[in-house]
Amino acid sequence: MPTGDYKILPSILSADHGQFVQEAAAVDIPEVDYLHLDVMDGHFVPNITFGPQVAASLKKHTRFRLDVHLMIEDVDFYIPRFAAAGADMITIHQEAAAHLQRSISLIRESGAKAGVALNPATSLETLRWVLGEVDLVLVMSVNPGFGGQKFIEASVEKIRVLREIKERGKYRFTIEVDGGIDARTAPLVYQAGASYLVAGNAIFGAENRPEAIRKMIRAIEEDQQRRRSIQV
Ligand code: DX5
Ligand code: ZN
C-alpha cells in the first residue's frame, strides 16, 4: 500500500474517448482519488480533446475528484466553466496565461485549487512571484499534447530544484509531474520530490488497469525500501 504522501492520478487522455465513464470505473480502486483530465484546444497544443461537459459527466457518474489540466489559450473564459462542471483542481500553463497572477486568483475565487504547469523548456524562475499563491505546480515531463511520449530525463532535476525552492521558501504547493510516468520513472520523480504522479499510457494502455497502478506503487515502495536499507 502507498505510504500516503503521494498519489497516482490516471489520465483519461489514453482511455477510450467513447467510454469515459466505463474507463473511469476501471480505475475505481481505493488507491485512486483523482482523475486527471487533459483539456486541449488545438491552439496551445496540436490536439483537441474535450470540454466542461465531459468533466460534468465524470463528476456526475464517478466518485473521483477532478484534476483538470488546461492546455488551452483562453484560460479566463474557461476557468469558471470547468469550476461549474465540478473541477476540484484547475491547472493552467504559465506559457498560455498573459496575466498569470490574475488567472490564478480567478481559479481560487471559483472555489477550485489552483495549479500552474510548466513546459519542459520553461524555467522555474517564471513562477517565482506566484509561488505563494498556488496549490500545485505541475512539472511537465513531456511536451504537452499527446499521451505515450518518452519521459524527458531532465525533469527529475527540475523537480529536485523545485522541491528545494519549496522547502527554502516554506511554500505549501504540491509538486505534480505529468508525462511518461511508469514503473521505471515513478520512483525517480517521487524521490526527487513529486507527490502527484499523473499516468496515462502506463495505466490505460495496460489490460489490467488496477494492476498497472499497483505496479507503480510497488515500484515506489520497493525503491524507498532499497534506499532505507542502503542508509542503515
Ligand atoms: C500530455 C498530458 C498528459 C498525458 C500523459 O499532454 O498532459 O496528462 O495524458 O500521458 P502519458 O502518461 O501516456 O505520458
Ligand atoms: Zn496532463
Side-chain angles (χ1 to χ4, degrees), residues 15 17 21 25 33 43 58 78 129 141 143 158 165 168 200 211:
H17 286 217
V21 173
D33 294 337
H43 292 278
L58 285 164
Y78 287 101
W129 305 107
S141 40
N143 288 290
K158 195 174 185 182
I165 293 169
R168 219 178 305 129
E211 178 49 30

Side-chain angles (χ1 to χ4, degrees), residues 118 122-129 165:
L118 292 180
T122 306
S123 167
L124 293 168
E125 176 62 21
T126 59
L127 298 186
R128 179 167 181 183
W129 305 107
I165 293 169

Side-chain angles (χ1 to χ4, degrees), residues 11 13-14 36 38 40 69 71 140 144-149 178-181 198-201:
S11 162
L13 180 65
S14 296
H36 181 85
D38 287 306
M40 305 184 184
H69 177 191
M71 283 158 278
M140 288 304 298
F146 302 94
Q149 300 182 78
D178 184 5
I181 300 301
V198 176
N201 197 51

Side-chain angles (χ1 to χ4, degrees), residues 133-170:
E133 299 179 46
V134 294
D135 300 294
L136 178 130
V137 176
L138 168 52
V139 175
M140 288 304 298
S141 40
V142 298
N143 288 290
F146 302 94
Q149 300 182 78
K150 192 176 174 301
F151 179 79
I152 296 170
E153 303 290 332
S155 316
V156 176
E157 181 62 12
K158 195 174 185 182
I159 292 167
R160 200 172 291 131
V161 174
L162 179 58
R163 181 179 47 194
E164 276 169 25
I165 293 169
K166 175 179 166 173
E167 286 171 0
R168 219 178 305 129
K170 297 191 168 49

